[in-house]
Amino acid sequence: MTSTTTEGEGATKPSAGSAKRALAGRLSWGLADQAASSLSNFVVGVYVARSLGVAAFGVFSLAWVTYGVVLNVSRGLATDPLVVRFSGVPTASWRAAAARSSGTALGLGAALGAASLVAGLALGGSVGTAFACLGVVLPALLLQDAWRFAFFAAGAGRKAFVNDLVCGVALVPAMVVAARVGSVAAFLLAWGAAAAVAAGYGCLQSGIRPRLTEARGWLREQRDLGYRYLVENVALSGASQLRAYGLGVLVGVGAVGAVRGAELLLGPFLAVLMGLSLVTVPEAARVLRQTPHRLGSFCLLLGAGQAAAALLWGGALLLMPDRLGELVLGGVWPAASQLIVPVTLAVAGAGLGTGAAAGLRALAAARRSLRCQLLASVCYVGGGLGGAAVAGTVGSAWGVAAATLSGSAVWWLQLRSALREHHRNQNPLNEVRTP
């Protein structure tokens, strides 16, 4: 399986200068979109932390990590195959695929949202209420994310950026109203309401209605990619969810809030990592098609840049005065500030690994990437919960840092093997094989 290309077989090869300018333009819109998305996530997290305190923020964080799992289910089944197979195709083909992909995301949001609603009502209490509200807003959240993928597949990163801006603007009055209510449920509903505004605007931007009735056909046609990406994506977010639940049991729900608070301080980089495939996988596929011998260096530059940026940001956080930290996170700051170093190392390790992950996806090495992700997820859960059992919240953060750095090494070893295999297969002497 290979990624769909933008140019036809007989297209004129662009000059090096124009190719670099085009790449810079696509990456610029990708970075701008991620900046808008990360800013919205950061504002939501900070506003909730300051308004509710560490315990209630822990409850909100449990709903947040659960959303992360559901989001990755949607991406694996609905939108990752769209990006791989329908990036740069003719407009009619893209519109048909985007309608089916967005319909699949909407259908998954409705189905999983209903399950979350029922589970929340059965569970009761503050946690149950949070999960019930999450169920209500999941369809809007997943549809809004699906439009972002669709726009990047079409090479229209500007539209994805504008859509995230609309979501951010809608968040402002919604958060103000939620703060007056002062509950986790109110903040979750406000977050979903803003996503619903952006999801509706996405329909206007694209001129496409999500085809909910064709979701089953989309899942069937994309099953060779979708189910592998599903397992890979859910392993990633599921590990985070298991660690959060386990940390809550071993240490307490306040520990979940402390970890989430520390992660918020590095929020711009975490948000970029979550949506990295919007930009980097199509770009890695272009590098593979045009200059395959540069794919390894492209991925290394990508991963090293992410890691260096995270380390620089973490270093700046260590110099931040306590007064400023309390201004940002309120009562969550004292606990979160103790985790800055290990969380920074974990994010840097994850950033380094995403460079290799982009290369494996461009090479369509689904088995290798799945193997890496499963191993990395097991290490993440083991390190996070093992560290929590030994040294509480701080131990959990250091365990995750060690697991993430180790997992990054595995990603790069697999990419090196995949590149060697690809080069062997491209060798004309190896093209003719006996059965």
Side-chain angles (χ1 to χ4, degrees):
M1 190 281 299
T2 57
S3 299
T4 305
T5 61
T6 303
E7 295 85 11
E9 292 295 331
T12 301
K13 187 176 180 179
S15 66
S18 63
K20 289 181 179 179
R21 286 192 295 272
L23 171 61
R26 291 189 297 267
L27 289 177
S28 296
W29 281 119
L31 290 174
D33 174 71
Q34 291 304 326
S37 176
S38 64
L39 180 61
S40 296
N41 291 336
F42 181 76
V43 168
V44 170
V46 167
Y47 211 72
V48 175
R50 287 183 53 81
S51 300
L52 301 181
V54 66
F57 186 57
V59 174
F60 180 86
S61 297
L62 289 176
W64 184 281
V65 297
T66 303
Y67 159 70
V69 175
V70 175
L71 178 64
N72 279 295
V73 170
S74 176
R75 287 181 174 179
L77 294 176
T79 51
D80 279 346
L82 175 73
V83 170
V84 171
R85 286 183 166 155
F86 295 92
S87 290
V89 299
T91 301
S93 179
W94 170 81
R95 288 179 62 85
R100 302 173 75 194
S101 174
S102 60
T104 302
L106 182 60
L108 289 169
L112 296 175
S116 180
L117 176 61
V118 171
L121 293 176
L123 184 61
S126 59
V127 174
T129 301
F131 277 90
C133 292
L134 177 65
V136 172
V137 301
L138 273 178
L141 291 169
L142 297 190
L143 181 57
Q144 194 264 337
D145 185 74
W147 288 130
R148 297 173 63 218
F149 272 75
F151 291 140
F152 275 104
R158 180 181 60 83
K159 290 186 177 181
F161 170 69
V162 172
N163 192 273
D164 271 325
L165 278 184
V166 169
C167 185
V169 171
L171 265 175
V172 175
M175 288 289 111
V176 171
V177 173
R180 292 183 178 179
V181 178
S183 68
V184 173
F187 280 106
L188 286 170
L189 293 175
W191 176 37
V197 172
Y201 183 64
C203 296
L204 295 177
Q205 285 178 291
S206 62
I208 297 172
R209 288 185 179 182
R211 295 182 181 177
L212 186 60
T213 57
E214 297 190 20
R216 182 176 298 180
W218 175 265
L219 293 174
R220 183 175 60 254
E221 292 173 12
Q222 309 301 327
R223 63 182 179 273
D224 60 325
L225 290 183
Y227 293 127
R228 282 180 179 169
Y229 289 158
L230 168 66
V231 175
E232 185 177 331
N233 291 354
V234 171
L236 173 64
S237 55
S240 177
Q241 187 177 26
L242 288 175
R243 184 242 184 153
Y245 290 166
L247 189 60
V249 171
L250 292 173
V251 185
V253 71
V256 181
V259 170
R260 176 60 187 156
E263 291 175 345
L264 272 176
L265 296 174
L266 287 118
F269 301 101
L270 292 171
V272 167
L273 292 177
M274 287 180 62
L276 201 59
S277 61
L278 288 172
V279 181
T280 57
V281 174
E283 294 306 323
R286 288 186 177 95
V287 172
L288 177 63
R289 183 184 71 250
Q290 296 172 359
T291 53
H293 62 283
R294 294 182 179 176
L295 179 60
S297 58
F298 171 82
C299 293
L300 180 60
L301 180 62
L302 174 66
Q306 291 276 340
L311 291 174
L312 288 173
W313 186 266
L317 291 176
L318 290 174
L319 301 176
M320 188 166 64
D322 288 339
R323 182 177 299 178
L324 182 57
E326 292 172 356
L327 179 65
V328 175
L329 292 180
V332 179
W333 168 253
S337 62
Q338 301 177 32
L339 310 179
I340 290 175
V341 173
V343 170
T344 297
L345 292 176
V347 173
L352 185 61
T354 55
L360 287 174
R361 287 228 169 167
L363 290 164
R367 290 184 179 179
R368 290 184 182 275
S369 63
L370 178 58
R371 190 183 309 145
C372 288
Q373 190 57 69
L374 291 175
L375 179 60
S377 297
V378 170
C379 291
Y380 181 93
V381 174
L385 297 186
V390 173
T393 308
V394 175
S396 178
W398 278 108
V400 166
T404 305
L405 291 169
S406 300
S408 179
V410 174
W411 280 104
W412 280 102
L413 289 172
Q414 288 294 319
L415 177 60
R416 185 176 67 173
S417 298
L419 286 171
R420 288 177 177 175
E421 181 179 339
H422 176 76
H423 292 328
R424 285 197 303 268
N425 292 338
Q426 295 301 308
N427 189 332
L429 296 177
N430 295 330
E431 287 183 359
V432 178
R433 300 175 183 270
T434 56

